[in-house]
Amino acid sequence: APAGGENGGIGEKSAQSINQVGGDTEGASLASSSQPHHRPLSTEAAHPAHRQDFIAPPSYYSERDRLFEEAAHYEAIGDHAAALACLEQCLPQKPTRHGVSSSQRDLSMPSLGFGGFAGGGQGSGEEYLRYTASTGVNEAEILHKMGIIYWKAGSYDASLGRLLDGLTIYRRTLKITPLATWADPNGATNGNSSTKLINPDADVMADILNSIGRVYFSRGDYAQAMRYYNESLAIQTDVYADAFAAMSRATSPVEDVASLASGSNGTKAAHAFDSARSFASTGTSGADDPVAPPPPPPGPESPPTSPTTSVASRKRRKAAIMHPGVARTTICMGMVHEAQGRYSRAMRFYKDGLRAQRSALGSDHVDVAATLNAMGSLYEKTGDIQLSMKCFEEALHIYRSRLGDDHTDTAVTLNNVGQVQFQLGDYDSASASYSEALRVMKKNLGEEHRNVAATMHNIGLVYSARGQYSDALKIYRTVLTSQRAALGDTHFDVAVTLDSVASAYEGQERYEKAGKFYGKALRVRRAALGRDHLFVGLTLDRIGSFHLNIDRNYSEAVRRFDEAKSVYEANSLDKNDQRVVDLLSKLELALKLDAEARAAVDF
């Protein structure tokens, strides 16, 4: 899980307090003094929604296995284009009504649902039906993987196109039913039975719904993100809650059966166990089992839930969260609450997920470390620096013991430790942590990877914090060259670095250049994320502070603060969110000073 990053490279983080030196989103803060201290940036790690073990489907072409291996290699080193090219070759060619193979899709354009067959036209005959039965799910797996890689590359539209294609296939081919939940006798870890329960189709569906939610999260569309997370949670709760409740009451497999059979579900529960036992022994679920469509995600038009139903629903969720997949979804939902400034609620979600992961997987599992990273980032935002460091250090210990000192996840967590050291003003320790993280990332990912650029950027922040602005600018120029070559001129990573360049110029009191680069950062961020994204609001907030505190252009400060306020409102930030509180305070001051300046001119 990222420690506050978006989808890799330079992660964007929510602010402690916007007007505070160093209390910024992505480490490119606007300071109110001539020597700004910046918040460092997160590097890429697998988000909980994407921590699936992707297994290559059976080979329909002689080179498919090799292509999957190459795709995994290219993805690991950050060569997303090469990885996507390999996966595109793995997509089976599809028959048409006339028996002619369809051409490969254009990767630059989002495709239609179900691999281009949705809505009729092609593939309506018997040959097409045989094709979908044999290859549909395999194609969906490939599309899912492609969607994740596009997400890592910051190509959100293309990512959604592939993921929604895969989801369409899954909705038509998967059988989501509690009757397919079974106990894997070899699946337990940590001596705990909670990881034994498996429902393959539900797990696959939850994975892709979480991936779609993550893309919407990265785009700042938190309502849509929560919609898909809610559907994922509803599916997992439906297939696991009763089984976990029964297992928690039982002391042996025999009592499990008795508990299920004597419960409120009666015969259906006994049938569920028989079906699960049959699935475990034969590898197939009952073909005649009725399949209900997945429950619709709750939305603003949903009827109010009765208190009794609400209590029962909470109890079912509490039982189901002991499944590691449900815990991951819960953590994803916590990230949405965190992004919207609901920090207390976000921390409750994180703690619930962490408690379940420790129980199900053991305290030294890498998923536990990922959640500790997320909690450490949130503690850092709320100013609980000691708790933040404790979380990061525990995560670092887990990664080092399980994966080794030279693993990329270890390096990512070292970067997080460096962030806290930076916040504490311990620049020597921060520099050492960043340097070690950079060494590992260069070794594993190569010189051109986004994480390498992000960590170099953080080292630049240390130079800037020490007042060595020329050295910082030299590093930022190198980072910008690398980012533009790899990602293009309008990628959000580029905007973060432009922001840091602006702040370094501000530290040198070269205010005209600083204003120019702040404007460039705003334009790139709007182009990359849209005008209403939270990070756009944070940038507007910083620019307003620049005009308020540096060049004394109070009318421009008021304009930018008003724009930031509108963006915060569009993102439903809580009125008690520190960013909102600070913005309103600065806006009030700017309005007062602007009025005084206008009165002085009139006089």
Side-chain angles (χ1 to χ4, degrees):
E6 179 161 350
N7 67 342
I10 295 179
E12 311 242 12
K13 303 183 73 176
S14 300
Q16 263 180 336
S17 58
I18 286 298
N19 67 337
Q20 198 174 37
V21 175
D24 170 59
T25 59
E26 319 94 24
S29 65
L30 175 81
S32 58
S33 69
S34 62
Q35 294 187 356
H37 292 173
H38 301 286
R39 188 187 194 114
L41 310 182
S42 299
T43 47
E44 177 177 3
H47 187 270
H50 299 319
R51 291 190 66 90
Q52 58 175 331
D53 295 325
F54 184 78
I55 301 174
S59 176
Y60 288 92
Y61 303 101
S62 60
E63 294 193 335
R64 175 173 276 194
D65 290 339
R66 179 186 64 80
L67 288 168
F68 262 93
E69 290 178 2
E70 288 190 6
H73 166 72
Y74 287 128
E75 181 187 1
I77 65 174
D79 191 343
H80 299 132
L84 289 166
C86 290
L87 290 172
E88 176 70 9
Q89 293 180 65
C90 293
L91 286 172
Q93 291 187 333
K94 293 168 283 294
T96 69
R97 285 182 296 177
H98 306 290
V100 179
S101 295
S102 62
S103 60
Q104 298 290 343
R105 284 193 295 264
D106 179 2
L107 280 179
S108 65
M109 297 294 292
S111 51
L112 297 174
F114 203 62
F117 286 112
Q122 296 183 346
S124 58
E126 183 178 346
E127 180 184 4
Y128 172 70
L129 294 177
R130 287 198 303 269
Y131 162 79
T132 56
S134 63
T135 66
V137 172
N138 294 313
E139 182 180 7
E141 291 172 348
I142 299 169
L143 291 168
H144 187 182
K145 186 65 173 176
M146 293 174 73
I148 292 172
I149 295 175
Y150 273 120
W151 170 80
K152 287 185 176 182
S155 300
Y156 298 146
D157 289 343
S159 177
L160 280 176
R162 299 311 181 273
L163 292 171
L164 292 172
D165 278 359
L167 179 63
T168 301
I169 295 174
Y170 282 146
R171 288 200 193 281
R172 296 186 183 186
T173 55
L174 297 182
K175 301 182 67 175
I176 311 297
T177 168
L179 303 183
T181 300
W182 57 284
D184 179 5
N186 301 315
T189 61
N190 196 39
N192 192 306
S193 62
S194 61
T195 58
K196 288 184 178 180
L197 291 180
I198 296 173
N199 189 307
D201 284 7
D203 294 343
V204 167
M205 181 65 82
D207 278 340
I208 197 166
L209 289 168
N210 283 347
S211 294
I212 294 170
R214 177 58 177 170
V215 179
Y216 279 116
F217 178 89
S218 295
R219 290 174 60 165
D221 190 343
Y222 302 126
Q224 279 288 80
M226 192 62 88
R227 171 180 173 245
Y228 282 95
Y229 291 151
N230 273 325
E231 183 178 355
S232 173
L233 183 64
I235 289 171
Q236 294 173 98
T237 300
D238 184 54
V239 301
Y240 289 124
D242 291 337
F244 273 119
M247 292 178 73
S248 68
R249 295 191 299 267
T251 59
S252 71
V254 174
E255 290 180 18
D256 272 354
V257 183
S259 178
L260 281 168
S262 63
S264 59
N265 288 330
T267 303
K268 180 179 178 182
H271 180 201
F273 179 82
D274 289 337
S275 176
R277 182 170 56 189
S278 172
F279 187 96
S281 61
T282 65
T284 58
S285 58
D288 297 326
D289 290 341
V291 182
E301 304 302 322
S302 301
T305 306
S306 68
T308 303
T309 303
S310 179
V311 170
S313 178
R314 284 197 298 270
K315 287 182 177 179
R316 285 174 58 79
R317 286 197 299 269
K318 185 176 180 180
I321 199 175
M322 295 310 297
H323 189 276
V326 181
R328 285 196 294 270
T329 304
T330 301
I331 291 162
C332 289
M333 298 172 79
M335 289 181 174
V336 176
H337 291 306
E338 178 181 343
Q340 294 181 307
R342 296 192 286 267
Y343 294 152
S344 296
R345 184 176 298 180
M347 188 58 75
R348 286 199 301 274
F349 275 66
Y350 291 157
K351 287 181 176 179
D352 285 347
L354 180 66
R355 185 164 48 249
Q357 288 173 330
R358 280 178 164 157
S359 175
L361 304 172
S363 294
D364 62 344
H365 194 277
V366 291
D367 277 11
V368 171
T371 305
L372 286 167
N373 266 337
M375 291 175 64
S377 177
L378 180 52
Y379 279 130
E380 186 186 353
K381 290 176 187 177
T382 57
D384 295 321
I385 300 299
Q386 298 304 322
L387 284 175
S388 175
M389 180 63 88
K390 182 179 179 181
C391 288
F392 290 148
E393 287 179 339
E394 186 177 350
L396 183 62
H397 173 74
I398 294 171
Y399 281 133
R400 280 177 163 160
S401 63
R402 295 297 299 271
L403 304 176
D405 289 340
D406 286 348
H407 193 277
T408 302
D409 284 352
T410 303
V412 168
T413 310
L414 267 173
N415 182 81
N416 295 342
V417 171
Q419 290 177 190
V420 176
Q421 292 165 337
F422 185 94
Q423 294 297 315
L424 293 171
D426 187 355
Y427 301 132
D428 289 343
S429 296
S431 182
S433 295
Y434 291 146
S435 296
E436 176 62 12
L438 182 63
R439 179 193 68 78
V440 175
M441 289 177 186
K442 282 184 174 180
K443 174 185 175 182
N444 294 341
L445 306 174
E447 298 278 348
E448 305 303 321
H449 196 276
R450 293 173 65 195
N451 281 3
V452 172
T455 307
M456 288 181 62
H457 176 277
N458 288 353
I459 293 172
L461 294 181
V462 175
Y463 280 112
S464 189
R466 288 169 166 164
Q468 298 171 263
Y469 300 116
S470 296
D471 292 329
L473 285 168
K474 190 180 298 183
I475 291 176
Y476 296 151
R477 291 188 189 104
T478 301
V479 171
L480 271 177
T481 300
S482 175
Q483 289 171 338
R484 284 170 165 161
L487 306 169
D489 290 336
T490 58
H491 194 275
F492 46 78
D493 280 12
V494 173
V496 176
T497 307
L498 287 170
D499 210 317
S500 296
V501 170
S503 196
Y505 280 129
E506 183 184 338
Q508 292 181 327
E509 299 184 4
R510 299 166 69 180
Y511 299 131
E512 186 175 349
K513 272 188 169 289
K516 177 182 176 181
F517 275 89
Y518 281 130
K520 284 184 176 182
L522 177 62
R523 287 192 295 274
V524 172
R525 187 155 289 137
R526 278 175 165 167
L529 302 172
R531 300 184 69 87
D532 287 334
H533 196 282
L534 177 60
F535 299 148
V536 172
L538 295 168
T539 305
L540 288 164
D541 197 336
R542 280 198 299 279
I543 293 174
S545 295
F546 174 80
H547 292 304
L548 175 65
N549 299 313
I550 302 301
D551 70 356
R552 305 295 194 269
N553 187 340
Y554 301 126
S555 60
E556 186 65 12
V558 169
R559 183 170 79 91
R560 294 305 191 183
F561 287 143
D562 276 332
E563 289 178 328
K565 180 172 176 285
S566 297
V567 174
Y568 288 172
E569 290 171 349
N571 284 273
S572 303
L573 291 191
D574 189 88
K575 65 180 181 180
N576 296 318
D577 188 299
Q578 194 61 48
R579 293 167 293 191
V580 175
V581 172
D582 292 338
L583 172 67
L584 294 178
S585 175
K586 289 183 291 186
L587 176 58
E588 181 180 1
L589 177 60
L591 285 167
K592 177 183 176 182
L593 294 174
D594 185 43
E596 291 176 355
R598 291 176 184 275
V601 170
D602 293 339
F603 180 77

